[in-house]
Each structure stands twice: as C-alpha cells, then as structure tokens.
Amino acid sequence: AACKRLCHWARRAIASCLLAACAGETLALEAGRQLDQYHRKVFLPQAGTRIPITSLVQADDGYLWVGTSVGLYRFDGVNFEVIPTLGGQSIEHLPVRFLYAEPGGGIWIGYGGGAGAGYYKQGRYARLSPEKGWNPLVSVAAENDEVVWAVVDRRLVRVERLVQQEIGAEAGLPDAVAREVVIDRAGTGWGSNTGAQGLVYLPKGGG
C-alpha cells in the first residue's frame, strides 16, 4: 500500500510538470519570484526537526531512501520511517554520506565517521568494514547484476560479489585521486580524478 501511495504521488507530480510544460510561456516560472511564493510542502524525517539530508535515491520497490547525518530513513511519499536495522544488524545513528540504488533492488550505503559501508538486498545486509578497505565509499555504478564499479578510499575499484579489484596503473589509469565513476549505456566505465587526465574510461568488462 505504501508503494502504491508513492507511485500515485510520483505520477501526480510528473503529470503536473507535463501540464506546466505544455501550457507554454504564460505559465513559465517568473525569475523575480521567491520560492515561498509557490505552493510547496516540506517533509521532515522528524517532526519539527530539520536534519541535514546527505543523499537520496529511489529503489526498485518505489521507496525513497534518505541518508542523513543521524541515520537512514525510508519515505513512502507521505511518511518517513527510521531504519535502525538492516538484515538484523544495527545501523542506528550511523551518519549516511552516500546512497546508490542499483538495478535489481540492491542499496549501497557509504557511512561517515570511519564506519565503512554496507550493502542491502532482499532482506540481507553485508557490513563492509573499513579494515577491509571500505572507507569511505563515495561513488558506485552498476555494470550488471553482479558487478559494480566504485570509488572507495580515493581508489577506483571493480567489485564482484563484494570483493574489490583495484583498477590502477596496470589498466593505464593515472596515479591520481579518484572522485566519481559512472557507466554509460554502452557499458563503458568513466571515472573522474584529480590528475592531469581528469577523465578516464575503461571498456565494458575492463579491468
């Protein structure tokens, strides 16, 4: 029921945007207006409390997953639900810095404060500890159902079944701090870094 409410809410929002676009210039936003002059509704994870939201993704189940400085929440379009545990493991009050929803329903979570990362799918949660090189997790892109590319601890890595394979000089990548990774429609991986070659790529299946 919650997912249906969220989908209905999303359809209404999209329909409203389409109607506004079709109306032409007469309904265009006026540059001189302030945000509070338009109709809006503010949702807060905790009533009356403004919590910094650090990351936001929508998973295949329709829910919005909301990362904050004080923990993880889930939003159904009407209500926020605090998520104190995943797969029976406590994540209560862990600061969430990064979220990524992969096709197929998996959720990647990057924590702050040296808490490492986590991966949640179909009721199962894997804690990815900093001792095993999972700190901090700042970017993820899915290659397929089993493989993702990620930026962890300023390194570009290819991850299969939660095992990292670092992509570096042997693959022709510069010795530089990795910042972000994406996968395009052709399956090519693109990574940004701080080096002279600010943008690098690897073909599908590279590494």
Side-chain angles (χ1 to χ4, degrees), residues 100-174:
Y100 175 78
E102 66 180 20
I107 302 290
W108 290 87
I109 308 167
Y111 299 110
Y119 178 71
Y120 177 72
K121 185 175 183 180
Q122 298 177 347
R124 296 183 178 182
Y125 178 73
R127 180 179 178 271
L128 307 173
S129 69
E131 291 79 15
K132 293 185 178 181
W134 286 98
N135 189 65
L137 173 66
V138 299
S139 183
V140 175
E143 180 177 310
N144 54 48
D145 290 342
E146 296 184 349
V147 176
V148 301
W149 291 24
V151 175
V152 186
D153 192 25
R154 303 184 295 180
R155 299 172 295 115
L156 177 63
V157 299
R158 192 169 181 267
V159 183
E160 185 170 1
R161 295 183 176 87
L162 304 183
V163 176
Q164 295 183 20
Q165 174 193 359
E166 185 169 355
I167 308 299
E170 73 286 350
L173 269 66

Side-chain angles (χ1 to χ4, degrees), residues 39-184:
H39 175 72
R40 63 192 177 110
K41 187 171 183 179
V42 177
F43 296 93
L44 299 173
Q46 295 181 7
T49 303
R50 292 189 179 274
I51 299 173
I53 292 177
T54 55
S55 189
L56 182 69
V57 296
Q58 185 173 27
D60 285 356
D61 60 9
Y63 283 101
L64 294 179
W65 291 76
V66 183
T68 78
S69 59
V70 294
L72 183 65
Y73 291 80
R74 194 168 60 179
F75 183 56
D76 65 3
V78 178
N79 299 306
F80 280 92
E81 174 191 4
V82 64
I83 307 297
T85 63
L86 287 174
Q89 300 185 50
S90 176
I91 61 166
E92 192 170 12
H93 303 313
L94 288 179
V96 177
R97 296 288 182 259
F98 171 80
L99 290 171
Y100 175 78
E102 66 180 20
I107 302 290
W108 290 87
I109 308 167
Y111 299 110
Y119 178 71
Y120 177 72
K121 185 175 183 180
Q122 298 177 347
R124 296 183 178 182
Y125 178 73
R127 180 179 178 271
L128 307 173
S129 69
E131 291 79 15
K132 293 185 178 181
W134 286 98
N135 189 65
L137 173 66
V138 299
S139 183
V140 175
E143 180 177 310
N144 54 48
D145 290 342
E146 296 184 349
V147 176
V148 301
W149 291 24
V151 175
V152 186
D153 192 25
R154 303 184 295 180
R155 299 172 295 115
L156 177 63
V157 299
R158 192 169 181 267
V159 183
E160 185 170 1
R161 295 183 176 87
L162 304 183
V163 176
Q164 295 183 20
Q165 174 193 359
E166 185 169 355
I167 308 299
E170 73 286 350
L173 269 66
D175 183 15
V177 174
R179 293 195 177 277
E180 188 174 8
V181 61
V182 299
I183 304 291
D184 66 20

Side-chain angles (χ1 to χ4, degrees), residues 3-19 58:
C3 292
K4 289 182 179 179
R5 288 199 302 272
L6 179 57
C7 292
H8 178 66
W9 169 72
R11 285 196 298 269
R12 289 178 58 189
I14 293 171
S16 298
C17 292
L18 290 174
L19 287 173
Q58 185 173 27

